[in-house]
Amino acid sequence: MANAKNPLADPKNQSAATQSVHGGTYRSPHGETSEALYLNSGFVYESSAAAEARFMGDDDGHIYSRFSNPSYDMFQDRMCLIEGAQAARATATGMAAVTTAVMSQVRAGDHVVAARALFGGCRFVVEDYLPRWGVESTLVDGRDPENFARAMKPNTKAIFIETPTNPTLELVDIAAVAEIAHANGAVLIVDNVFATPIFQKPLALGADLVTYSATKHIDGQGRCMGGIILGSKELIEADIHTIIRQTGPTISPFNAWVMLKGLETLAIRVERMTQSASALADFLADHPKIDKVFYPHHKSHPQYELGMKQMSGGSTMLAMEVKSNAGDGSGSNQENAFKLADSLGIVKISNNLGDAKSIITHPATTTHQRFSEEEQLEAGINRKLLRLSVGLEDGQDLIKDFAFALDQI
């Protein structure tokens, strides 16, 4: 009797944690255990006719590493398994992924709607860059899906959101906004960096394209830059592939390989980091020197029910407002926020996130510094706000670190 085929041999039957280790791998004739690094720019053809077939698209082999390479393939294929996508393209940075995804869906005369609570670079693409090319944009409060419905126009081709948002961890109802987009003939693009592909599945909720800064949790150790766009084969292999091929915002083979190796530990890293983030949220929410804590799976979050519904984990990210010395309660005083950050012993001051090391950021003076005060307040950013990316340190050590720092205020 022949042995039955084990269903778990098919990566589609594996959990995301297992797919992160094994998915998308293919081996050279040497049979290496760790994926090979294809650190080359070009490829050799067996004949002139073979080269012609490759360029005509009759042969699926590689042509040039500006747009395709075996190292990219493995990273992209593994991410597709985890995300539930048909296709993907890796880029040099997260902002390259966002810019390519948005620009691929519009032409001069089109319109884009976006949530106003966006990372500074993302908002620049929507608010400043697109209009240079004749694409109109409208920013709305993303917490209420009806705001997107009211902003739609006959020429609206895309909606762009991040959820949870950077840095205030506001949430956008992905399923509701996807319905609005599709009812108006538009696509929904979701930046899923804060949630990670482990804790939120935008494509399953109706999104058309998902972007990541792979620099963050996917590498997760502060080594390499990278980004990725995922979605249907139709969307990815049309304009997105063409833009990458012709303009070159491509990831390097080495960085793609580093991201591939980073995926092997993604699930265990973000699960540990999220456990610590949740414990820190509880501690900070009860501290008398903290006004507010923003964490999607903390009951104090104004969108707690939505967070529990569309996110299987609360994220490695949280934000807090430190009590101000300003007597009028305006929140304009940043003295205590700076004092808290400067008094931490383990947590480092930096503007990155998703790293193995815990990182704290003052958005009003760094990542969102170019926004006017009105725009900052509109996005929920005041001078008391600190963003925290929780790392892999011992969770109790992090709580002790914050307890000490808060005592200095």
Side-chain angles (χ1 to χ4, degrees), residues 3 14 18 21 39 49 60 63-64 66-67 85 103 109 133 163 197 201 204 209 246 256 273 279 281 297 317 382:
N3 290 333
Q14 299 168 0
T18 304
V21 177
L39 195 60
D60 291 334
I63 295 173
Y64 196 57
R66 188 176 69 246
F67 49 91
M103 293 293 287
W133 303 94
T163 182
K201 305 291 186 183
L209 292 170
Q246 303 300 342
M273 293 152 76
H297 278 196
M317 306 295 300
N382 59 44

Side-chain angles (χ1 to χ4, degrees), residues 83-98:
E83 195 71 39
Q86 293 178 351
R89 289 295 183 272
T91 58
T93 66
M95 282 311 308
V98 167

